[in-house]
Amino acid sequence: MAAEQGPVGASPAAPVVTVAGPRVPRAEEVLTPEAVAFVVGLHRAFEGRRQELLTRRKTRRAEIARAGTLDFLPETAAIREGDWKVAEAPRALQDRRVEITGPTDRKMVVNALNSGAKIWLADFEDATAPTWENAVTGQINLIDAFEGRIDFTSPQGKAYTLRPAAELATVVVRPRGWHLNENHLLVDGTPVAGAFLDFGLYFFHNAARLLAKGAEDPNSGPYFYLPKTESHLEARLWNDVFTHAQAALGIPYGTIRATVLIETITASFEMEEILYELRDHAAGLNAGRWDYLFSIVKNFRDAGAHYILPDRNSVTMASPFMAAYTRLLVQTCHRRGAHAIGGMAAFIPSRKDPEVNAAALEKVKADKDREAGNGFDGSWVAHPDLVPVARASFDAVLGERPNQKENPGPAGSVTAAQLLDIAGAGGSCTRAGLHNAVQVGIRYIEAWLRGLGAVGIFNMMEDAATAEISRSQIWQWIHNGVILADTGEKATAELVHRLVAEELTALRTELGDVTYAGGRWAEAAKLFEQLSLAEEFVDFLTLPAYELLG
């Protein structure tokens, strides 16, 4: 598909719009002239500010490198000390005790809506490889779901259909982060932001539809999750986008509600300010574990031994610095009348090994018990089989109440030093951990290059955040001369090269020559090594990887 749009006789200032993606069935239903014009309007109104904020990220990272620390912003103290609340949550977002996440492919749409979770995070970001087909068909699938005409039949002949509307999860869409472009929609030769495309198409096609359904279906509304936010100024941009979009389509102000993922270390120091900027559109904050750890490594990668993360699987939400982060999130949300949503349970139950299941489900239960007991109003799971486990943990605390926003959270103020006490996590850096990072990173990137964003690896549902923490930890260990605790070896590029080669050999044996040859393993390994061993740290693996998607 390649087309240019522009009104006949338009002024020289009228944009030249090019839709350059490959042909996707039913794309014309989504990429209507009016919908594309709406997205172009977002680009023209806000692209300059987006670029300024991306530049500001680099400036702030340079400041962190110089100072070796972070603190709460003195210039926004009045907001933190002020008496204000976010808008009351709509009925559909009052009870969020279990949320399931996943991409917007047709099977996932049906399974997630039917899962029994209160909320489905329909993900165009970390759980979706941003091929043009995925971006467009995801929008088609959501429209079909709202119109009650979605179904799916597996290659084995198993049919999937929707349950009655009253039993379905509420949809909350996660568009791409501010840093990602959409190369298949160009305005005057410049790619639009993936965020503008994902948000814009969804809002244009569904906001009025969802409001019309709201009279009979309380689980309806244009609701969003906002990823990768690094500052309150980025939240302000989203708020202005919301205001603009609602006005442009005649949707009442404040209809949109957004939950912000606090998955960067800089955002953890601006939780109050982020809620304040979005206060008429805010629904809550969420604790995103892997991206949060990735952000710590990225921002403090050259700040010394204090900030070196041990094996990623040893860093739990109970680690002191993670506990401080989640404590502050609950305190902040409940002080301001917002929902506090906990982290992901990513375990994928095995159909073959009940002992593995029993041990893993016990860990999931303990994690969700801890979150509910610490004041969270809900939590995430990655698989429908985990919905009852998480629900039981929150039912035990909430009972018939929709949330526990009256609970102020664990007592005690949270300091900057506590948020940055990475050394206090304990644990160690091991060869086994390094090997696991190589395994997971290569396996995930290979699947991503084939268009899959949510990937089951070693009984865990992994997304882009997992690959980010894997490659960033390798970079950090090598550049800080880490000695591996279990073997006494030094983490070096040579060791990583060796582990990558061993992993490719093991994969060929595991998969067989034919299946291996049909994959993109060599490309994935090359990219993983480039990212992990680069002299200069690459901000996001999805940026160079996107260029390989075609």
Side-chain angles (χ1 to χ4, degrees), residues 40-166:
V40 170
L42 295 176
H43 172 88
R44 300 193 86 193
F46 300 108
E47 176 63 11
R49 282 178 59 189
R50 181 177 81 103
Q51 292 299 331
E52 290 172 2
L53 289 169
L54 293 177
T55 298
R56 186 178 182 274
R57 287 183 177 184
K58 297 182 182 298
T59 302
R60 193 173 195 192
R61 154 62 195 153
E63 293 170 353
I64 292 171
R66 284 194 297 272
T69 191
L70 264 175
D71 208 343
F72 299 97
L73 301 176
E75 63 268 28
T76 56
I79 292 174
R80 295 193 298 276
E81 296 164 2
D83 184 17
W84 53 270
K85 299 274 190 182
V86 303
E88 179 71 13
R91 182 165 50 162
L93 299 180
Q94 285 286 344
D95 190 333
R96 304 178 61 176
R97 66 187 69 198
V98 186
E99 304 191 356
I100 191 168
T101 74
T104 54
D105 63 88
R106 213 159 179 86
K107 179 181 177 181
M108 183 66 195
V109 171
V110 177
N111 283 345
L113 290 173
N114 286 345
S115 67
K118 293 290 187 179
I119 304 290
W120 171 40
L121 187 158
D123 197 7
F124 286 94
E125 207 233 4
D126 271 2
T128 293
T131 64
W132 184 239
E133 181 178 10
N134 286 343
V136 174
T137 58
Q139 299 283 349
I140 294 168
N141 292 338
L142 290 172
I143 293 171
D144 283 353
F146 295 140
E147 291 299 314
R149 61 187 181 222
I150 193 167
D151 56 23
F152 175 81
T153 301
S154 72
Q156 294 75 33
K158 183 177 180 181
Y160 298 81
T161 58
L162 288 181
R163 293 176 177 174

Side-chain angles (χ1 to χ4, degrees), residues 146-282:
F146 295 140
E147 291 299 314
R149 61 187 181 222
I150 193 167
D151 56 23
F152 175 81
T153 301
S154 72
Q156 294 75 33
K158 183 177 180 181
Y160 298 81
T161 58
L162 288 181
R163 293 176 177 174
E167 300 177 23
L168 302 180
T170 295
V171 175
V172 180
V173 166
R174 177 161 71 166
R176 278 169 277 184
W178 284 133
H179 61 291
L180 292 169
N181 290 338
E182 175 48 74
N183 291 343
H184 301 99
L185 179 60
L186 309 175
V187 180
D188 295 330
T190 300
V192 303
F196 293 152
L197 183 89
D198 300 339
F199 164 80
L201 291 180
Y202 180 76
F203 188 75
F204 181 87
H205 287 293
N206 297 298
R209 174 185 280 111
L210 291 167
L211 291 180
K213 288 168 62 71
E216 68 236 24
D217 179 6
N219 296 328
S220 294
Y223 308 136
F224 297 91
Y225 257 107
L226 305 181
K228 305 292 190 292
T229 302
E230 296 198 10
S231 74
H232 70 287
L233 298 179
E234 296 182 13
R236 181 182 297 172
L237 176 56
W238 268 119
N239 196 71
D240 290 346
V241 167
F242 294 160
T243 300
H244 170 101
Q246 290 167 141
L249 297 186
I251 302 297
Y253 178 81
T255 298
I256 292 173
R257 294 305 169 89
T259 303
V260 180
L261 290 110
I262 302 300
E263 54 186 353
T264 66
I265 185 64
T266 51
S268 71
F269 283 86
E270 300 182 37
M271 294 188 201
E272 297 254 18
E273 294 90 334
I274 287 168
L275 282 178
Y276 182 81
E277 294 293 344
L278 286 159
R279 59 194 178 278
D280 292 335
H281 297 109

